[in-house]
Amino acid sequence: HTHKHTTMEVAIERARQANGTASYVLDVVTGGTMEYLTPINQQSSTQFANRPSLSLVEPTDCSLYFNALLSSATPTLSPGGVVGLLSITASQFVPKNNNHNSNNNTSAAGVSLTRSVSNEQRYLYLRAVALHTASLLSACTPCDAYSINNTHSHVQLVHATVIPAVGYAAQCLDRDRVLNSGIVTSLQRLAIGLGRLTLEKDDTNDSVLTAAHTEYLQCSLRSGQYDSAAAFVDAHPIYRVAGSGTSPNSSSKNSSGRECLMSMETYLRYFYLRGLIYAGCPHRWMDVVDSCDLCLTAPHHGDSSGGYDPQRSERKGHNHGHPVVSAVAIAARKKGILAKCLALCDDCDAFEISGNSGGGGVTDIQSSTLG
């Protein structure tokens, strides 16, 4: 009898073709529609979770999937195939709050989940992304004029599907598993590489904010890598937001007129998480304040889906179309106020140690104490 290939087997076989693209792999579940390419700034996390995908519930499919991505004994995957395979299961890693479902399990972070993926599968997904970092960057780099369209879709998929799935998966794992997966270093490489790929033609600055920057901070925070994350942030100040290229029909563009690859949620989370990273470092309270202030001054508002949860930014509630302040900004405001108080305590301690009883006060010694 002829073996009938499963959908998972077909997707893997397509990913192994030398010139296989992500679109070709995803076609096995999308039927030709490219829902995966909906700009992330136009899609809520609920819509992200409801994308067509391949399930990892069946042990056979799960084994085939991770063997294809992680086993050195299996045939090589094309760079575009890697993007497609990592995208085709991404929505399985999205936690969905549902207080009415008594069968939900709870993540390590206390998030109620309706997905049936296990923590082992989340860990393996992070390992797969870390292992294929070079392939992801290669898929996003145009080799010739013929590949530009495919490259454009690969850039969108990595930003809007793969990297958010990494953040969701890492949130549910403990510190050691996130650290051992290699995803922290991988996201750092992706942040730099994807930022450079979205530069303007004559631009030489690589400090472009991407979704990888945000999830890098999320994973660094999760794994307790405060000092290394702070050093990375200090070495790569942000001056602009990643864009995927000119898109005249896009309603959301960066300052260069390029289609913006990041949602406002991801933008706000970057500065909020940066503040939390600085809070874990000695004498960086004013840097915490500066990061939180950027969350407050950024133009943002809610839509008919409501605000965001700063922990994982799930949309909730309804505001009937009226502008609302993001919950990330509210959380940043609280953290900023606390950081200001702690900064003053730092200054007062230094002032007492120095034995200076002059009239300079706290303001005069801030620069020497806080660097």
Side-chain angles (χ1 to χ4, degrees), residues 221-283:
L221 191 66
R222 191 79 181 147
S223 57
Q225 303 300 298
Y226 299 99
D227 291 337
S228 58
F232 176 80
V233 168
D234 291 339
H236 299 85
I238 297 302
Y239 296 111
R240 54 186 57 81
V241 176
S244 63
T246 303
S247 179
N249 296 323
S250 174
S251 60
S252 180
K253 299 180 181 180
N254 63 13
S255 58
S256 301
R258 295 158 66 89
E259 180 185 350
C260 187
L261 287 171
M262 291 182 62
S263 65
M264 181 53 68
E265 168 200 0
T266 306
Y267 177 88
L268 291 175
R269 281 182 56 233
Y270 171 79
F271 291 106
Y272 176 74
L273 292 169
R274 191 180 79 172
L276 296 184
I277 288 292
Y278 281 139
C281 302
H283 308 298

